[in-house]
Structures are given as structure tokens and as C-alpha cells.
Amino acid sequence: MKDYKKKFSKTKNKLFMFKLSQIISFVSLCCMMILINTQAACQGSSIDFLRSTGKIYTVVIVIAVIFIGIVIYLYRLDHKLTKLENQIKNEQ
Amino acid sequence: MIKIKGLWWKALGAIIFLYVLIGGMTVPLNSGITYTNPSNAKTGQRIVMEVTGYNTHFKSALQNRAWLKADSSHFIQATSVQQNDEMHVLLHFDLPFTMPSKEKVQPLTLIIDNEIDGAFVQPNALFVTVSDSLQNDLSQWQTLQLGSLNKKSGLTFPYRNILNETIRNTFFHVALWFAMFILLIIGLYHAIQYLRTGIYDHDIQSATINKVAIMYGVFGLITGSIWAKFTWNTFWTTDVKLNMTAVAMLIYLAYLVLRGASTDTDRRAKLSASYSIFAFLALIPLVFVIPRLTDSLHPGNGGNPALGGEDLDNTLRLFFYPSIIALVLLGMWMSQLKIRYERLQEKIFQNQK
């Protein structure tokens, strides 16, 4: 019974972490889309945020995209490794 | 593939990327001109030109000089230069009655020079309409060379009109594609080695490195799309290089599908190794040949000089080439982690049998 409980909480934890990763990537994607779309919406105004100060924020977003992409890759690898570790543990 | 043991090349990749990040973001841009008013005038007029600069020091500079240039041997110097602040300056010009060329409308280039910012230009700053006049006197034009122009001291990136600060994306967006290509070559090498030797480890390496390269390609498409939004004002154009690259990426996505479709490891390895050779061979004409045959917004196409001149000058090269090396090293690091994972899984699979 105890073992079952442990296992249950573990899967629950895993599910939570997976959901969390999805939420984080979704939220960051949303932020970026909102940021970019607000630029599109206020094109009438002379200077908007991403075009202000010589468009430096465009460079910032490009770097952020690469960084987030690499982090998502590493997170997924982490997830897979954890699975493999558990598999080895169960076999022993 | 040579097995590089240890951490040094991973650390090297991280350090070089840090250098690119810091240097690429902190080196200032050259001075430039963002706005001039008026943009039209007639011959013989006396005009006051309002100029907004970028990264300029009009007020702190001791001597601001300005010219309008018709061609390489005809200049008019501003009669007076009135600086309001560092970024704004008023230039007074007496336009001559006659123009050196016979054209009805003549574009003039604005050149501003001071000892802090050096000399910088705005092409086609003023369009002068030739009004009817009997005079044919070019004596008002300065025909001598401009003399000694100042040069900005220190390291600066070139100022390009529409690009502005986004020229720094060269280190990230462009370098990503170069790194992707190098990674694909390494993946191709392992695919060929697998077909030659039949050692399964080569298949693991080839597939993983290819996957990281495809990830770089997807990053390249996304970052390029964002860059295009703020320079070409659209996320996606009908530019031939964009479409051909998208086709190449789809070919490589099919590679992922192919790998995912088969569970028989031996068959999967053989199929995907030969497919990746074909995919690579398709990539070369799609990305390097076809865009060069037609017009494209990208540099190096339709007769444009390939990554040279102002688009990639020596100061940009200081960060551009290290960025490629860093991205390749980081990509190899990421794929090494995945390769180790795949090897472990393979070992477990063998043990289960």
C-alpha cells in the first residue's frame, strides 16, 4: 500500500512537471506574440517599442528565442533522462 | 569521429558565445542619419535642412561640417551649421542654379563630418528639381576633393539605414544557419560512415547531430521571421531564399518522420542514413544555388556581393566567425548529451534481449 502511494505521488509529480514545462513554454510564446502583435497594432504611431532606440529590442527578442529554444531542448532531454533512470531503477 | 574527452571544448564554446553576446551587444554603431527635412528643393533656393542623427555628438563636437554631393567631383558646403543638441542639427545650404548633370531631378547625398563621429552619409537625402534658368555656371560647386575627413575612433559596427541596430542579428540569425550547415556536414559524415561500416553507433551520432541541426534551422526560420518583421515589415515575404529554405526544412522534417515511423532499428538506420545524404544534396541547390539565380532580399543573391562590403565588414567578422564556432560547439555539446542518452538506452535494450 505504501509502495503504491509512493508510486502514485511520483507519477503525479511527473505529470505536474510536464504540465509546468508546457505552461512555461506556452506563456513565453504568448508573451512574445503579444509583444510582436502590439507592435503591429500600433503601427500608426511614429515609434513603437521594438522599433525604438534603433530596433535594439528586435535583437534582444532574437537572442531570447534562441535561448528559450535551447532551454526547451535541455528540459526535454532532462525529462527523457529521468524516465531512463527510473526504468533502470525499476529493473534493479 | 575523434572522441574528444573532457570538458575543454564545451567550455570553449560557452566562453566564445559569451564573448559574442557581450561584444555583439555592447560595441556601438557608427553614427548615421535617420531623418532629414525637407527632402525636395529647387535649384537656386536657399534651404535650411533639419537633420536628426543617430549616435551623433553634434553639440560636443568642435567642428561640424556638412556637404551635399552631386557626384564624386561636385559638392556644396553648408554655409552654416547650427547644432541644437547632440542629435539634431540645422544645415543652411545655398543651392546653385545649375546642376552638373542634365537630369530634371537630381538626388544629392548628404555628408556630415565632425571629429568625434567621423564622416557619415545619407544617400538621396535631397531631391533637387532643376528650374528653368539661362545660367550655365557651375562655379558655385566645389570641385575639389573634400580634403581630410575624420574617422571615428574605436570599434564600431556599420550603420545601415533600415537595419540600424538589428545588424547585430548577423551574429545570431546568420551564424545559426552557418552552424546548422556545419552540423549537417558532421551528421552526413556519420551517415556515410554508418553505411560503410554498419556500426550502429554512427547511426546514433548521425541522427542526433542532424536533429540538433534541424532545431537550429527552425530557430533560424523563427529569428529570421522576427528580424524581417522589423526591417522588411512582414513576417514572411515571397523572397526566394525564404521559400527554398522552407522547402529544405520540410525535407529534413520528413527525415524526422522517417526515423519516427520505423521501429526496426537496423532498417531505420539504413533508410535514414541514405535519406540524409539525399536531403543534404537537395539542401545545397535549394539554399545556395537557386536564390543566387534570381533576385532576393538576402545579401549574396541576385548579383549582390555575398556577405561583404558594409553588410559584413571587418568589425562584424570579429564576432561573426566566433559566433559560428561557438554555436557549432554548443550544438555538439547538446548532441553529445543526447548521444550518451541514446547509447544508454541502446545498452538497456540489448540487455533486455
Side-chain angles (χ1 to χ4, degrees), chain B residues 168-221:
Chain B
R168 298 171 202 275
N169 274 350
T170 312
F171 314 133
F172 307 107
H173 167 75
V174 186
L176 265 179
W177 288 109
F178 277 69
M180 175 196 90
F181 209 76
I182 293 170
L183 287 177
L184 284 179
I185 289 172
I186 299 171
L188 179 76
Y189 166 80
H190 284 297
I192 293 170
Q193 282 300 309
Y194 172 74
L195 289 179
R196 277 185 53 197
T197 60
I199 299 169
Y200 185 65
D201 194 57
H202 279 303
D203 176 65
I204 292 177
Q205 298 205 34
S206 160
T208 316
I209 294 169
N210 274 345
K211 276 176 193 168
V212 172
I214 292 166
M215 184 177 78
Y216 273 14
V218 173
F219 290 174
L221 283 183

Side-chain angles (χ1 to χ4, degrees), chain B residues 45-228:
Chain B
Q45 261 184 340
R46 172 170 291 185
I47 58 160
V48 182
M49 192 184 249
E50 187 189 329
V51 174
T52 308
Y54 187 79
N55 270 357
T56 49
H57 302 85
F58 292 133
K59 195 134 198 175
S60 342
L62 293 171
Q63 191 196 18
N64 286 301
R65 296 180 298 170
W67 294 270
L68 283 173
K69 174 184 156 192
D71 54 48
S72 57
S73 59
H74 289 89
F75 303 91
I76 347 164
Q77 188 163 8
T79 49
S80 78
V81 179
Q82 199 183 320
Q83 50 269 38
N84 298 333
D85 54 48
E86 299 284 32
M87 303 285 274
H88 298 89
V89 78
L90 290 175
L91 307 171
H92 297 254
F93 286 105
D94 287 330
L95 295 178
F97 282 101
T98 43
M99 285 284 149
S101 84
K102 294 273 175 280
E103 279 163 55
K104 261 270 179 235
V105 178
Q106 174 106 31
L108 298 181
T109 302
L110 178 67
I111 305 172
I112 300 180
D113 173 67
N114 67 45
E115 75 279 359
I116 298 177
D117 305 318
F120 45 98
V121 297
Q122 167 84 320
N124 304 332
L126 187 70
F127 287 91
V128 177
T129 315
V130 181
S131 51
D132 292 325
S133 152
L134 295 172
Q135 279 175 299
N136 190 14
D137 173 23
L138 286 172
S139 63
Q140 281 161 297
W141 289 90
Q142 221 177 308
T143 49
L144 288 169
Q145 285 299 310
L146 284 181
S148 60
L149 288 176
N150 293 300
K151 236 184 152 215
K152 194 167 187 162
S153 59
L155 201 63
T156 53
F157 294 141
Y159 177 88
R160 304 285 278 157
N161 248 330
I162 298 167
L163 293 180
N164 301 4
E165 299 276 359
T166 62
I167 199 160
R168 298 171 202 275
N169 274 350
T170 312
F171 314 133
F172 307 107
H173 167 75
V174 186
L176 265 179
W177 288 109
F178 277 69
M180 175 196 90
F181 209 76
I182 293 170
L183 287 177
L184 284 179
I185 289 172
I186 299 171
L188 179 76
Y189 166 80
H190 284 297
I192 293 170
Q193 282 300 309
Y194 172 74
L195 289 179
R196 277 185 53 197
T197 60
I199 299 169
Y200 185 65
D201 194 57
H202 279 303
D203 176 65
I204 292 177
Q205 298 205 34
S206 160
T208 316
I209 294 169
N210 274 345
K211 276 176 193 168
V212 172
I214 292 166
M215 184 177 78
Y216 273 14
V218 173
F219 290 174
L221 283 183
I222 297 171
T223 55
S225 191
I226 293 167
W227 194 5

